[in-house]
Each structure stands twice: as C-alpha cells, then as structure tokens.
Amino acid sequence: MERARSSFLSRRRLLQGAALAAVPTALTATSPAEALRAVDYPSAESFPASTSNYTASNRPSTYPIDYVVIHVTQEYWSDAIKIFQDPSREVSAHYVVRSNDGHIAQCVREHDIAWHAGNWDYNTRSIGIEHEGWVDQPEYFTDALYTQSAKLTATICGKYGIPINHETIIGHVEVPGATHTDPGPYWDWARYISLVNAAALGRI
Ligand SMILES: [Zn+2]
C-alpha cells in the first residue's frame, strides 16, 4: 500500500512539474513540484531521492537534530545518487559530496528523515552526509571534499545548535549497532573538525 501510494504521488508530481513549466515562477514557488527541487543549502544541487527511500517528517519539530553522520559512499557520486533515486533500494542520505570538486547533491530535505545510519533513533535525529570514495582509497578524500563538506556541516550545526565536536559529528561506524565501517581509518577527523570550526568562524 505504501509503495503504491508513493508511486502515485511521484507520478502526480511529475505531471505537475510538466504542467508548471509554462507558469510564471512566482505562482509555482510553493507547489509540490517546486518543493521537490528546493534545497536547504544554497550551493547544493537538488537530486531528490525516491519518496520510497526516506520518511517524510517536519524536523526539528517532530525530532531534534542532534548529530551529523559522516559516510563514505563506496560508489561513484552519480551512482550513489541513482541508488537513492531507485525505489527498490530503501536507502538515502541528505547530501552527497563529490570528490574532485566538493560539489554537493541534496537528495533528502533536512526536515525529512533519510535512511542512512542503519539505526532508526539516529536516523530521526541526524543529517547524513555521504562522501564520494572508498574507505581504503584515501586519494578520494580531496582538499575540496573536506572543505566543502566542512562548510556544509558548519552550516547544519549553526542552524540546529549542534556543538562542533566528534561527539556530535560522528562516523557511520560510531552509530550504535552499525554494520558499516565508513568513513574508515583514512578519514582525517582532526582535520575535519578543525575545518568545521574554521567554517563556523567564517575563516574558510
Ligand atoms: Zn555509511
């Protein structure tokens, strides 16, 4: 039932999107189709996940946002986005940061609950950020990836009042019950937290 309803909504949104193409922007600003294209982080590019792959919510009213969970995709950036758009995969993250230039895709809105942590309680209370790369290939963790991700995390921490430290900005591996090891031993936590602090102070 849920799945059928979701695909009906998706189809309806697609139809609305097509119909709205010829309508002035001011009239479409609050439409569902427009909402699907919207982002929470101004420089992010919208690639909406399938509505089958996350839980719609109204955070932080419904749940507080207490954590940022850092992931590594084990996939190329574009493939990770395609997985989140595939309604059969039952997985998503709010953001995916590209390795070579730090470009950021937003796949799930921050008020919604992405399915990334493998732990419902942590999913409800976190923002999940995926980073293009593989845990055993540190060359994917470029300066651009660290810097752009840190700016994003600093913005999220500022918005929701999340303290900047490794207790609140955690790896997937640190989520209780985690079966994943990302971001892995090559992720430079000291550097990352330092960059998030620098970004919060407007220094990068
Ligand atoms: Zn992960």
Side-chain angles (χ1 to χ4, degrees):
M1 283 303 282
E2 273 304 304
R3 186 141 301 175
R5 194 163 64 101
S6 295
S7 84
F8 167 74
L9 284 172
S10 301
R11 204 157 47 242
R12 195 179 66 177
R13 281 171 181 147
L14 278 175
L15 289 170
Q16 286 177 335
L20 289 168
V23 178
T25 307
L27 297 177
T28 67
T30 56
S31 74
E34 192 70 20
L36 276 177
R37 287 192 291 275
V39 292
D40 297 301
Y41 188 62
S43 63
E45 186 177 1
S46 179
F47 289 93
S50 165
T51 54
S52 298
N53 291 345
Y54 65 89
T55 301
S57 189
N58 187 27
R59 302 187 307 168
S61 303
T62 43
Y63 300 93
I65 297 177
D66 298 327
Y67 299 99
V68 175
V69 179
I70 300 297
H71 300 265
V72 168
T73 53
Q74 305 293 111
E75 299 282 351
Y76 288 108
W77 185 80
S78 54
D79 290 339
I81 292 167
K82 282 184 198 140
I83 288 168
F84 298 161
Q85 293 178 329
D86 177 346
S88 73
R89 297 301 290 265
E90 302 187 325
V91 66
S92 62
H94 294 92
Y95 295 101
V96 188
V97 185
R98 194 159 63 195
S99 171
N100 70 317
D101 60 359
H103 185 58
I104 295 171
Q106 180 159 16
C107 300
V108 178
R109 296 296 303 275
E110 292 176 3
H111 57 74
D112 292 329
I113 300 166
W115 299 349
H116 60 98
N119 174 318
W120 175 248
D121 178 48
Y122 276 68
N123 278 342
T124 62
R125 294 193 289 139
S126 65
I127 301 286
I129 305 178
E130 289 278 1
H131 298 82
E132 181 183 28
W134 283 263
V135 294
D136 58 352
Q137 295 181 58
E139 61 270 26
Y140 278 91
F141 305 157
T142 62
D143 291 348
L145 177 132
Y146 274 119
T147 303
Q148 296 310 316
S149 173
K151 288 181 175 178
L152 169 62
T153 292
T155 300
I156 292 166
C157 288
K159 197 184 298 183
Y160 301 106
I162 304 171
I164 297 172
N165 59 59
H166 196 166
E167 309 286 305
T168 51
I169 303 168
I170 60 173
H172 189 177
V173 66
E174 292 161 295
V175 172
T179 56
H180 289 219
T181 62
D182 59 309
Y186 296 108
W187 183 263
D188 187 341
W189 278 106
R191 180 183 181 195
Y192 188 68
I193 298 295
S194 161
L195 283 168
V196 176
N197 273 309
L201 295 169
R203 292 183 183 155
I204 60 167

